[in-house]
Amino acid sequence: MSGIRMPGAPAVPAGLARKGVIPAALLAALTSPLAYQTLERWEGNVLQVYRDNLAHGIPTFCAGRTDWSAKPGTRLTSDQCQEINKTTLLEYGYAVLGCVEWNYLSAKRLIGLTMFAINVGKAGACGSQAVQQINLGNLAAGCNLIARTPSGAPNWSSAGGQYVQGLQNRRQAERALCLEEA
C-alpha cells in the first residue's frame, strides 16, 4: 500500500524480557475487546491518514497511530486498522509492562495505563508521578495522579498550552480503569 508503512508486530523489548515471562492475564488484556473498545473510544478509528492539529500536524490514522512518513489522504481498510491498532496496543502495553511493577497491575489497570501512554507517550507515562506512586504500592494515589495533580488541578489535560476538556474526560476514564481491580 503506498503512502503508509504497515507496522510489524512489536518484539518484546529486551528490558522487558529480562523481567521474565509476562503473565498470561496481562498479555491477554492488551488485545482484549475492552482494550480495543477503549482505544477506539478515545482515539476513534479513522480509515484515512490525516494531519492531527492537536499534535503539531503529525500524520495520524486508525486509532491514533502516528507516523511522520505517512501520506495524508491515504486510505486504509478496517482489517488494516485492526492490525495497526493491535500493534499500537502491544507496543505501548509493552512499554507500560517495562516500567510498572507487575504485582501492582491488574488487567484493567494495565489497559488504563496503556491508554494513558498511547496519548502522552511512553516516556511521559513511564516517567510520570502516577507510575512512580503505583510502583511504590500507592495504587489509589498513582491512579488519581493520571487525572489530577496532588493539589486537585487537572493533570495531563492540555494541548498546545491550553486546557482541553476532552483530555480531562479521557484522563478520568483512564483513572477509573486504573482503580478497578478486576
Side-chain angles (χ1 to χ4, degrees):
M1 167 181 45
S2 65
I4 191 167
R5 272 186 322 212
M6 289 293 288
V12 175
L16 180 54
R18 282 192 287 276
K19 286 178 85 173
V21 176
I22 300 169
L26 294 179
L27 195 55
L30 292 175
T31 55
S32 69
L34 178 61
Y36 281 103
Q37 290 164 2
T38 304
L39 178 64
E40 289 182 8
R41 174 179 181 208
W42 292 110
E43 296 288 349
N45 195 36
V46 182
L47 302 180
Q48 181 172 331
V49 179
Y50 66 96
R51 293 199 180 277
D52 187 339
N53 293 327
L54 284 177
H56 310 290
I58 189 168
T60 304
F61 48 96
C62 300
R65 188 72 182 190
T66 57
D67 182 348
W68 282 109
S69 68
K71 182 180 174 193
T74 301
R75 294 192 177 279
L76 298 109
T77 67
S78 292
D79 287 344
Q80 288 168 324
C81 277
Q82 176 98 9
E83 283 304 307
I84 290 168
N85 295 345
K86 179 179 180 180
T87 297
T88 299
L89 287 165
L90 289 171
E91 178 184 331
Y92 285 82
Y94 288 164
V96 169
L97 286 167
C99 69
V100 177
E101 296 296 326
W102 295 351
N103 53 324
Y104 297 131
L105 286 175
S106 64
K108 288 185 178 180
R109 184 166 297 127
L110 175 58
I111 292 169
L113 290 169
T114 298
M115 296 306 136
F116 178 54
I118 287 169
N119 191 244
V120 305
K122 297 170 200 160
C126 286
S128 70
Q129 291 179 336
V131 166
Q132 290 171 14
Q133 287 300 307
I134 289 168
N135 283 339
L136 291 172
N138 301 327
L139 305 181
C143 293
N144 288 332
L145 283 165
I146 291 171
R148 297 277 177 193
T149 65
S151 69
N155 208 9
W156 298 96
S157 299
S158 296
Q162 298 292 317
Y163 174 79
V164 178
Q165 183 62 51
L167 289 175
Q168 179 56 204
N169 295 346
R170 179 179 179 146
R171 297 291 91 85
Q172 291 293 340
E174 292 160 350
R175 173 192 167 275
L177 275 171
C178 184
L179 288 169
E180 285 190 49
E181 288 299 318

